[in-house]
Amino acid sequence: MFKDLNPILHSQLRLAVVSLLIGVKEAEFTFIKKKTNATAGNLSVQIQKLKEAGYVEVIKQFKDNYPQTICKITEKGIAAFEDYVKALQQYLNVNK
Amino acid sequence: MAEEKQLTHQESLELITQMLQNAKGHFHTSGTSAILWGSVVGFAGIMSFLQRMFNFSIGFDVWLVVLIAIVPQFVISARESRNRRVLTYEESWLNAVWMVYGFSVFALLIYLQVVPTISVKMFAAEGKTLLIRNNSTKEVTAYYPFTLSASSLYLILYSLPTLTTGIASRFKPMIIGGILCYVFFIISLFTPFVYDVLMNGLAGIFSWLIPGLILRRKCLKAKMANV
């Protein structure tokens, strides 16, 4: 029995963001934007969706008088990512 | 990157791998702190050795420069933190290791300063005095206790964060520097104090100054490549 792939993660940009955040403790919005080659608007919307799902924690603060957005993956996000990878492995093993 | 593009399973896996690699390869440091501490400890160790070897004095305890170096270190740390766009787990762990190392060096410094005085006072409270006897003159004088080869203890401490950083970030110059600290430690066990301070200076140069300069060169190269 195959598990359905999590629809929140099964989207190119959201998966890219979560995959990036899983490898680091925290990252600035500008760093994620650079690494994913996404536009600021699009990235902002997708991060908001991840935040609403409880997968990502977003900290907004000021640094040197400029707004700074820091993103961190949550425990729930890590668990969802692990489940997603497991489900993906199942599909890929069958297709071999 | 398109937002709602539906991925095939293979594409998902490739994307995850690519992003994990992106995050993994990000750890870098300019080596400024390593250069600072390598120069300071190297200078203090060699100057201390030269003063004792050639019987001259520069008028103050040269090891005070190590304490003074804490000030620029705060400035460097604040600047690095301001410019950091991402914090990897590796960086945060290594920062913790270096912070604990700093506390430990400070604790050892206090131990070496406090314990002899306190010991003399405790013996005095019990009505006892430590004495030392000169076998040639038979003269017996009051003895002020001190830790023998105290500089050797610093060498063990130097190795801990250096070797940890070298192994964790697969940076050979720091691995070599960390191993050399242990080599200098073993040598210092068999040499008089004057050579122990020289070993401290050399440890500073090989563990931090040289790796720091290599890091600096790498960092400048990477910056030039991005221009």
Side-chain angles (χ1 to χ4, degrees):
Chain A
M1 184 67 185
F2 289 116
K3 278 175 86 174
D4 284 336
L5 288 172
N6 182 337
I8 296 170
L9 293 182
H10 198 57
S11 130
Q12 194 178 17
L13 186 49
R14 289 196 292 269
L15 182 61
V17 171
V18 171
S19 305
L20 197 60
L21 289 178
I22 203 109
V24 299
K25 197 174 178 194
E26 58 184 44
E28 256 188 38
F29 183 86
T30 48
F31 174 83
I32 303 170
K33 183 173 164 278
K34 191 179 166 196
K35 293 292 177 185
T36 55
N37 286 324
T39 61
N42 190 8
L43 183 60
S44 195
V45 169
Q46 300 315 317
I47 286 178
Q48 185 58 34
K49 284 185 186 173
L50 290 169
K51 188 188 166 190
E52 281 162 11
Y55 294 175
V56 163
E57 184 190 344
V58 179
I59 303 157
K60 288 183 191 271
Q61 58 189 35
F62 280 90
K63 192 158 95 176
D64 296 335
N65 293 327
Y66 286 98
Q68 184 196 35
T69 306
I70 293 170
C71 301
K72 285 181 190 181
I73 194 155
T74 61
E75 291 291 324
K76 193 178 172 188
I78 294 170
F81 181 77
E82 283 171 352
D83 282 347
Y84 180 84
V85 172
K86 271 181 207 159
L88 204 59
Q89 277 170 341
Q90 278 188 328
Y91 281 106
L92 289 167
N93 283 338
V94 165
N95 290 338
K96 265 185 185 176
Chain B
M1 191 173 276
E3 167 215 334
E4 291 298 346
K5 184 193 165 197
Q6 281 306 303
L7 299 161
T8 65
H9 301 138
Q10 193 58 43
E11 280 172 340
S12 290
L13 197 68
E14 280 166 13
L15 181 63
I16 292 168
T17 314
Q18 187 201 336
M19 287 298 140
L20 285 174
Q21 282 301 323
N22 262 348
K24 210 169 100 183
H26 190 76
F27 177 65
H28 64 76
T29 167
S30 62
T32 316
S33 298
I35 294 171
L36 170 72
W37 291 105
S39 322
V40 165
V41 173
F43 168 75
I46 290 170
M47 186 50 82
S48 187
F49 166 74
L50 291 174
Q51 283 184 102
R52 285 176 167 87
M53 200 67 184
F54 300 105
N55 283 320
F56 71 95
S57 170
I58 55 168
F60 65 95
D61 184 357
V62 71
W63 288 99
L64 282 175
V65 294
V66 176
L67 287 178
I68 296 166
I70 293 171
V71 178
Q73 180 56 56
F74 273 120
V75 177
I76 293 165
S77 298
R79 204 173 53 191
E80 280 181 353
S81 158
R82 207 166 44 234
N83 295 333
R84 189 165 43 217
R85 296 279 168 268
V86 62
L87 180 65
T88 63
Y89 287 106
E90 189 185 331
E91 276 175 290
S92 73
W93 293 329
L94 289 177
N95 286 346
V97 168
W98 281 98
M99 193 176 68
V100 173
Y101 158 76
F103 293 150
S104 303
V105 166
F106 194 62
L108 181 59
L109 188 73
I110 293 171
Y111 165 82
L112 294 172
Q113 295 297 318
V114 170
V115 168
T117 317
I118 297 292
S119 302
V120 169
K121 280 183 183 168
M122 285 167 93
F123 280 124
E126 290 172 18
K128 295 170 188 167
T129 310
L130 285 173
L131 300 169
I132 192 161
R133 180 174 174 266
N134 186 322
N135 283 336
S136 336
T137 61
K138 312 283 186 229
E139 188 189 1
V140 176
T141 48
Y143 175 72
Y144 187 75
F146 64 95
T147 309
L148 297 166
S149 197
S151 302
S152 307
L153 301 175
Y154 285 106
L155 288 166
I156 308 175
L157 270 186
Y158 291 169
S159 181
L160 198 139
T162 312
L163 204 50
T164 308
T165 305
I167 293 168
S169 47
R170 295 185 197 89
F171 184 48
K172 258 190 194 162
M174 273 204 169
I175 296 177
I176 295 168
I179 293 169
L180 277 176
C181 283
Y182 283 122
V183 173
F184 293 140
F185 163 71
I186 293 166
I187 295 171
S188 76
L189 298 179
F190 302 98
T191 53
F193 181 74
V194 62
Y195 291 102
D196 294 355
V197 288
L198 176 66
M199 296 298 148
N200 265 256
L202 293 178
I205 291 168
F206 285 104
S207 306
W208 306 323
L209 182 59
I210 295 173
L213 290 170
I214 294 169
L215 277 173
R216 160 76 62 177
R217 224 178 66 185
K218 277 188 178 180
C219 183
L220 288 176
K221 248 187 197 173
K223 267 188 187 167
M224 292 292 280
N226 287 336
V227 168

